[in-house]
Amino acid sequence: MRVMLKATLDTEKSSEVIRQGKLPELIKGTMDRIKPEAAYFMPDEGQRSCVFVFDMQDSSDLPPLAEPFFMELGAKVEVLPVMNLDDLQAGLSVLERQ
């Protein structure tokens, strides 16, 4: 299932991780693990944030993905199912046949 993971990082904890030079490693590990179709990094409501869109094979994939953000960055993590246009059109076509 295509999902979007948004992590809003705690400023103090993420600043320390940046000072230690560990943030690139954490991001690379995440990217290598999930192979996202899209990844974005931005300030959101005054905090460092990142968004990844990827295919989650199983809900058991979530803990190893989210825990580094919680534990190392004090992040608020949100995971939402999302669709691209093809997915939306396929879903709507089912409604048309009912």
Side-chain angles (χ1 to χ4, degrees), residues 6-98:
K6 177 182 176 190
T8 304
L9 314 183
D10 175 79
T11 301
E12 188 175 319
K13 281 191 171 187
S14 61
S15 292
E16 182 59 30
V17 169
I18 289 169
R19 280 191 284 276
Q20 294 171 355
K22 294 180 181 179
L23 188 59
E25 177 185 319
L26 191 145
I27 297 299
K28 183 179 181 331
T30 299
M31 301 281 288
D32 290 347
R33 190 168 32 257
I34 65 173
K35 297 174 182 37
E37 67 183 60
Y40 301 99
F41 307 89
M42 69 286 193
D44 183 33
E45 296 187 19
Q47 292 185 277
R48 294 177 184 106
S49 299
C50 53
V51 172
F52 303 96
V53 177
F54 63 100
D55 184 31
M56 184 181 293
Q57 298 296 316
D58 191 88
S59 58
S60 65
D61 296 337
L62 186 56
L65 173 60
E67 286 304 323
F69 287 103
F70 290 133
M71 294 172 55
E72 296 182 44
L73 299 167
K76 175 182 171 187
V77 177
E78 301 173 71
V79 179
L80 302 165
V82 295
M83 296 178 281
N84 64 18
L85 181 58
D86 292 338
D87 298 332
L88 177 62
Q89 289 174 332
L92 290 175
S93 72
V94 172
L95 294 175
E96 294 168 0
R97 292 182 285 207
Q98 292 180 352

